[in-house]
Amino acid sequence: MSDPEIDRELACQILNSLGQGVAASRVVDGQWIIEYANPALANMLGVPVSDILGRSFEEFLHPDDIPRLLENRAKRLEGILTSYEARLLRRDGSTLLVLITGAPRIVDNRPGGGILVITDLTDYYSVLRQLKSSERRLMDILEFMPDPTFGIDLDGRVIIWNRALEDLTGVKKEQMLGRGNYECAIPFYGRRRPVLANLVIDGFDESIAREYRNLHREDDVLTAEVFIPTFGPEGSHLWLKAAPIYNSEGKVEGAIEVIRDITENVKQVNALRLSEARYRSIVEDMPFLVCRFDHDGILTFVNENYCKYFGFRKDDIIGRSFLELIPEEDRETVLARFRGLTPERPYVTYTHRVKKGEEIRWQRWTDRAIFNRDGEVIEYQSLGEDITAEKNMEDALRESEHRFRVLAESTAAGIAIMSDERFVYVNRAGEEISGYKRDELIGAPIWMVVHPEDAAWLKKMYSRKVRGEPTPPRYEFRIITKNGDVKWVDYASGTLKLGENRALLGTLIDITERKRAEEELRKFRDSLEQLVKDRTAELEERNAEMERFVYTVSHDLRRPLISIGGLAGIAELDLVKGDVEKARESLRKIARSAESMDMLLSDIIELTRIGRVINPPEDVPFELLVKEAVDQLAGTIEKRGAEVRVAEGMPTVRVDRMRIVEALVNLIDNSMKYTVKDKRLVIEISHRDGVFCIKDNGIGIPENQREKVFDLFYKIDPKSDGTGVGLTIVKRIIEVHGGRIWIESDGCSWTAFCFTLPLVT
């Protein structure tokens, strides 16, 4: 029997070493609390494991994904496994797309929590994008191949007809795609007949093979040449190459044939036989590699292109074996090609690899044997060209065929083929979008999944499309999934022949999230317009406040200056008269006016900084902020015999610590200024339902003064101390923190300044 502690330690080691995130939560008093999280999950979130434990998982999810979390939690409490995509909120503010797989956690023999496995989907969607890009490149390569190319399926229907073939034959792909019964041969031969691609699909047929020259099979690839007297003004020599098209299971699904017009090449080769002199002048100007060699492969002639290609001078290469330029493992194959030539079959075209310095390249060579009258080989001559790019394209076509099939089944877009208003094919994405299995959809009416409110006009679109009438290229409508959910899809369709009937090929993209986002955007736009109106009103209020500010500043600053000027003149006269004591009194009044001006300027400077200069917010218990404010006023509180009572258990706030302490100092000091004579001042600081209060038992504030006291430079008693800026500063500090402040009072015996601040939850 195993040791439970050892088993537990082993399980923890396994979970901690996983590359996927793992979390275990338990329902406690109706809350889902995380009791375990592994390092991989902490790494995804960018926080230590300790910051995850004891919290609820929705704290780490994008707000838009929380409803999905709650929905899946309910399923897990019913004992159901769940899986869905969501976005994690990382500490740095970024999001991470993940797949969350959840299982019920059994507590006391019933589901009482959940176990989550979180998988990072970043690489998955990156690979998906690469697959789409690869498929697009594949189709571009095929469409823009320089050689004319076509393909047929197992029934002989044309499935590929590229642009180069359109240029060669003058037949557009729209006229040829889907055509069978050997119709692809008509543009060349003027009649229906099997082509080389048919030999790949149907197997070797001697009667067909006799119509080609130099027919050669290499594995499952056929090459041949043919002369067609009716193709072109003087007939044409064509080089052909055909290969099978395989599906992902390795089964042949058709064949592809590449065509090259070698009429000019053949004419040049024939012309070489007429005259050695003409031969040399022509071959030196040809864009091909040309050489001649004897029975043993010793080179007797090379043209300039041959020398340039391999990087040799003629004197250095003549007399050496051309086999030196061929990889050792390919040499026997090459020797067999040209040694098998006969007067009846004097030349052969084939491909092989060569060594060009340190690089391996592919070439196509046409070898011709030159015979004497007795049928003996005198010499061989070869015409070659570099086909590395072509070879790479052929390899890319073969390699991409499987990717193409996989992409069609794994694409996020739903694909459906419909005939007689019924499904005849649905891909995997179509299953996922609709919630139905493929077997449930095939043969079922297509209206089964269409929202009833959209069915009528969709039927009209379907009928018009089947009849070949014009319809919009794309449109959006709603579907109802198997479990009853309503989804929006973006739909595009085309037509195809399915037997004798016209069928529709449709693609569907789930745009439900986009529709939701559009609705959110509309709501945001409405709220933004309202915000602009609010900000405009606020700006107008600020402008009015600025006008009052400028007027009051100019008035209140001018008054001490006038007083200073007058007192200075009086002091001067007193000194002239020799009355030093009166002069000193005038100087003391000047000093008090200067001090008053300094206080006013200090308050104005402080006011302008609010909202502009702010320290980083901190999470601070409110009692600690009150203590700092009371400590700053300790001397004044003691001097006035006031009592400050601070409630316990007040919450933690997220604020600019220095500014809030400054606001509290102003409010407490304000309470001490307006007291009842011979009555002990009591100041109570408390919190309830998100509202903080500083209440005193002073003289109270009349109702018609409660808004005005926050105005700049306003004082209920113009003769009182201070500048009238203090409460304006307090209001500005509270509002910068997103809070608000107001006054409650009975008007005669108590006043409470109430305000809100951002709480730490």
Side-chain angles (χ1 to χ4, degrees):
M1 182 178 295
S2 62
D3 188 333
E5 289 300 323
I6 294 176
D7 290 345
R8 178 181 176 84
E9 181 180 353
L10 179 59
C12 287
Q13 290 177 0
I14 293 172
L15 291 174
N16 288 342
S17 63
L18 285 176
Q20 294 172 295
V22 177
S25 59
R26 183 173 181 174
V27 180
V28 179
D29 295 331
Q31 298 295 317
W32 290 64
I33 305 301
I34 299 174
E35 295 185 332
Y36 169 80
N38 70 342
L41 178 57
N43 185 57
M44 288 179 181
L45 294 171
V47 300
V49 171
S50 59
D51 284 3
I52 302 175
L53 301 182
R55 299 170 69 179
S56 180
F57 198 73
E58 56 257 49
E59 295 181 41
F60 304 103
L61 275 191
H62 191 283
D64 292 346
D65 297 336
I66 291 177
R68 196 175 305 155
L69 169 69
L70 300 178
E71 176 185 342
N72 283 273
R73 276 182 178 171
K75 291 181 180 178
R76 286 198 294 275
L77 289 179
E78 296 174 3
I80 302 173
L81 297 176
T82 62
S83 181
Y84 60 98
E85 292 183 10
R87 291 160 291 177
L88 294 183
L89 291 177
R90 295 172 54 83
R91 169 178 279 180
D92 60 8
S94 62
T95 59
L96 181 69
L97 183 62
V98 297
L99 175 68
I100 301 177
T101 303
R105 181 182 177 188
I106 305 303
V107 179
D108 298 330
N109 296 322
R110 61 187 181 84
I115 299 174
L116 303 181
V117 177
I118 299 95
T119 304
D120 187 345
L121 294 179
T122 304
D123 292 340
Y124 168 77
Y125 282 108
S126 175
V127 170
L128 188 60
R129 287 192 296 271
Q130 292 174 12
L131 281 173
K132 290 181 179 179
S133 177
S134 174
E135 178 59 25
R136 190 164 52 251
R137 289 196 299 270
L138 166 65
M139 299 309 295
D140 289 342
I141 290 172
L142 182 63
E143 182 66 13
F144 294 100
M145 277 182 61
D147 287 330
T149 304
F150 71 92
I152 57 175
D153 62 17
L154 294 179
D155 296 325
R157 290 190 294 268
V158 177
I159 57 175
I160 300 170
W161 192 271
N162 75 348
R163 293 189 179 185
L165 194 54
E166 288 182 339
D167 296 338
L168 180 66
T169 63
V171 178
K172 297 296 183 182
K173 79 168 64 170
E174 292 81 6
Q175 301 172 257
M176 191 58 68
L177 290 179
R179 299 296 182 90
N181 193 23
Y182 306 116
E183 190 161 342
C184 60
I186 295 177
F188 299 95
Y189 302 98
R191 60 187 175 88
R192 300 178 188 272
R193 53 154 283 178
V195 293
L196 194 63
N198 292 112
L199 292 180
V200 173
I201 296 174
D202 302 328
F204 191 84
D205 186 319
E206 185 65 36
S207 62
I208 300 175
R210 283 198 296 268
E211 298 188 28
Y212 295 97
R213 300 193 309 271
N214 299 324
L215 179 62
H216 172 68
R217 179 185 295 274
E218 184 175 350
D219 297 325
D220 53 0
V221 179
L222 295 178
T223 57
E225 296 177 14
V226 66
F227 176 74
I228 307 176
T230 58
F231 189 68
E234 301 176 358
S236 298
H237 292 273
L238 302 179
W239 175 86
L240 314 170
K241 183 173 187 177
I245 299 174
Y246 292 97
N247 63 16
S248 59
E249 299 175 355
K251 295 181 180 180
V252 175
E253 285 197 341
I256 189 169
E257 183 168 339
V258 180
I259 303 167
R260 181 170 292 178
D261 188 342
I262 59 170
T263 304
E264 293 303 317
N265 295 3
V266 173
K267 287 181 179 180
Q268 289 176 2
V269 172
N270 292 334
L272 290 176
R273 302 174 62 185
L274 300 178
S275 167
E276 181 66 20
R278 289 181 60 194
Y279 165 80
R280 289 185 179 276
S281 64
I282 293 173
V283 297
E284 289 297 348
D285 296 331
M286 287 179 62
F288 301 98
L289 310 182
V290 181
C291 67
R292 297 182 72 160
F293 52 89
D294 61 19
H295 296 81
D296 299 321
I298 302 302
L299 292 166
T300 59
F301 170 81
V302 293
N303 71 344
E304 286 297 328
N305 279 336
Y306 192 100
C307 294
K308 290 178 182 178
Y309 184 87
F310 288 108
F312 291 104
R313 294 187 301 113
K314 281 189 179 182
D315 294 343
D316 295 332
I317 195 66
I318 298 297
R320 294 167 59 180
S321 173
F322 76 89
L323 294 174
E324 296 176 16
L325 303 173
I326 299 175
E328 188 172 349
E329 59 270 24
D330 295 351
R331 292 176 185 174
E332 284 301 321
T333 302
V334 174
L335 288 171
R337 294 282 190 230
F338 70 82
R339 286 177 177 172
L341 297 178
T342 64
E344 293 76 24
R345 187 173 175 271
Y347 64 89
V348 63
T349 300
Y350 59 98
T351 61
H352 63 79
R353 298 180 301 165
V354 298
K355 296 185 292 185
K356 184 181 179 183
E358 298 296 325
E359 186 181 6
I360 298 297
R361 306 283 294 178
W362 280 93
Q363 292 181 338
R364 179 186 297 118
W365 286 92
T366 299
D367 290 348
R368 174 176 288 277
I370 301 173
F371 299 92
N372 60 18
R373 292 182 179 180
D374 298 327
E376 298 173 341
V377 175
I378 301 173
E379 201 171 23
Y380 297 95
Q381 64 181 16
S382 292
L383 184 72
E385 61 178 325
D386 188 306
I387 60 165
T388 304
E390 177 184 323
K391 187 71 174 176
N392 290 340
M393 283 192 289
E394 292 174 359
D395 292 342
L397 285 173
R398 283 194 294 271
E399 292 175 5
S400 296
E401 178 60 23
H402 174 66
R403 295 179 185 174
F404 177 80
R405 295 287 176 181
V406 172
L407 186 64
E409 275 301 314
S410 62
T411 179
I415 299 176
I417 299 177
M418 298 152 283
S419 179
D420 293 331
E421 299 188 7
R422 295 183 179 273
F423 292 107
V424 296
Y425 168 78
V426 178
N427 73 341
R428 187 178 304 168
E431 290 182 305
E432 295 174 354
I433 293 173
S434 67
Y436 289 94
K437 295 295 183 184
R438 202 172 313 199
D439 294 343
E440 297 176 291
L441 291 172
I442 302 302
I446 59 180
W447 316 115
M448 177 180 73
V449 298
V450 176
H451 194 286
E453 295 179 8
D454 297 341
W457 69 268
L458 271 178
K459 287 182 179 180
K460 293 181 181 179
M461 293 297 103
Y462 183 94
S463 300
R464 291 174 60 183
K465 195 75 176 181
V466 170
R467 293 194 300 266
E469 298 175 5
T471 60
R474 325 172 60 93
Y475 35 89
E476 300 171 357
F477 61 89
R478 291 165 292 177
I479 66 169
I480 299 179
T481 66
K482 185 177 180 179
N483 62 8
D485 293 337
V486 176
K487 290 184 177 180
W488 279 93
V489 294
D490 181 295
Y491 176 77
S493 70
T495 59
L496 52 85
K497 291 291 288 184
L498 197 64
E500 297 299 322
N501 299 324
R502 184 191 294 267
L504 298 189
L505 172 63
T507 60
L508 302 96
I509 299 175
D510 187 344
I511 59 169
T512 306
E513 291 302 323
R514 193 196 78 191
K515 282 289 188 180
R516 290 175 182 167
E518 289 174 352
E519 178 61 21
E520 290 298 323
L521 182 60
R522 184 191 64 76
K523 293 180 180 177
F524 175 74
R525 188 183 302 114
D526 293 343
S527 65
L528 185 61
E529 290 177 356
Q530 184 59 45
L531 181 61
V532 170
K533 292 179 181 178
D534 293 343
R535 288 294 182 267
T536 302
E538 182 181 345
L539 183 59
E540 291 174 350
E541 182 181 347
R542 295 292 185 190
N543 287 339
E545 181 181 316
M546 181 59 69
E547 291 177 2
R548 294 194 302 271
F549 174 81
V550 171
Y551 171 79
T552 305
V553 167
S554 62
H555 178 271
D556 286 8
L557 286 180
R558 186 180 294 113
R559 185 172 55 195
L561 286 174
I562 293 172
S563 177
I564 289 171
L567 289 170
I570 294 171
E572 183 179 5
L573 290 174
D574 289 338
L575 288 174
V576 170
K577 294 177 180 179
D579 194 341
V580 176
E581 188 56 39
K582 285 187 177 181
R584 286 176 179 171
E585 178 61 27
S586 295
L587 290 174
R588 283 193 291 270
K589 291 180 180 179
I590 289 173
R592 286 196 295 271
S593 294
E595 182 181 354
S596 174
M597 181 181 293
D598 180 64
M599 289 175 58
L600 181 61
L601 288 173
S602 296
D603 284 347
I604 291 171
I605 292 171
E606 181 64 23
L607 180 63
T608 60
R609 289 177 178 172
I610 303 301
R612 195 163 48 82
V613 178
I614 187 167
N615 301 307
E618 302 177 49
D619 293 351
V620 189
F622 192 75
E623 294 99 323
L624 187 57
L625 299 174
V626 172
K627 183 178 182 304
E628 292 181 16
V630 171
D631 287 346
Q632 290 185 28
L633 293 169
T636 305
I637 293 172
E638 182 178 359
K639 180 179 179 181
R640 299 195 179 182
E643 178 185 356
V644 179
R645 299 173 183 173
V646 182
E648 296 182 353
M650 285 192 284
T652 298
V653 292
R654 181 165 295 158
V655 295
D656 177 344
R657 183 174 189 151
M658 183 183 73
R659 291 295 187 201
I660 295 302
V661 170
E662 178 184 348
L664 293 175
V665 168
N666 269 309
L667 290 174
I668 296 171
D669 186 58
N670 189 77
S671 294
M672 290 191 291
K673 287 179 181 178
Y674 302 100
T675 60
V676 178
K677 189 176 181 181
D678 300 328
K679 180 180 179 181
R680 188 184 184 191
L681 176 64
V682 177
I683 300 173
E684 298 178 354
I685 302 176
S686 61
H687 170 269
R688 183 178 180 182
D689 299 331
V691 177
F692 297 94
C693 284
I694 298 179
K695 182 178 180 181
D696 63 61
N697 60 346
I699 62 175
I701 298 177
E703 185 174 356
N704 61 356
Q705 301 290 318
R706 293 172 194 171
E707 289 295 332
K708 295 181 180 180
V709 296
F710 293 110
D711 290 345
L712 187 61
F713 304 120
Y714 183 82
K715 295 191 292 183
I716 296 176
D717 181 3
K719 298 180 180 180
S720 63
D721 295 337
T723 61
V725 179
L727 290 181
T728 306
I729 292 175
V730 171
K731 182 181 180 184
R732 193 71 58 83
I733 291 174
I734 297 299
E735 290 178 346
V736 164
H737 283 79
R740 65 187 187 91
I741 185 169
W742 66 96
I743 295 173
E744 296 178 0
S745 176
D746 66 351
C748 61
S749 63
W750 63 270
T751 299
F753 284 86
C754 304
F755 55 92
T756 61
L757 289 173
L759 304 181
V760 177
T761 57

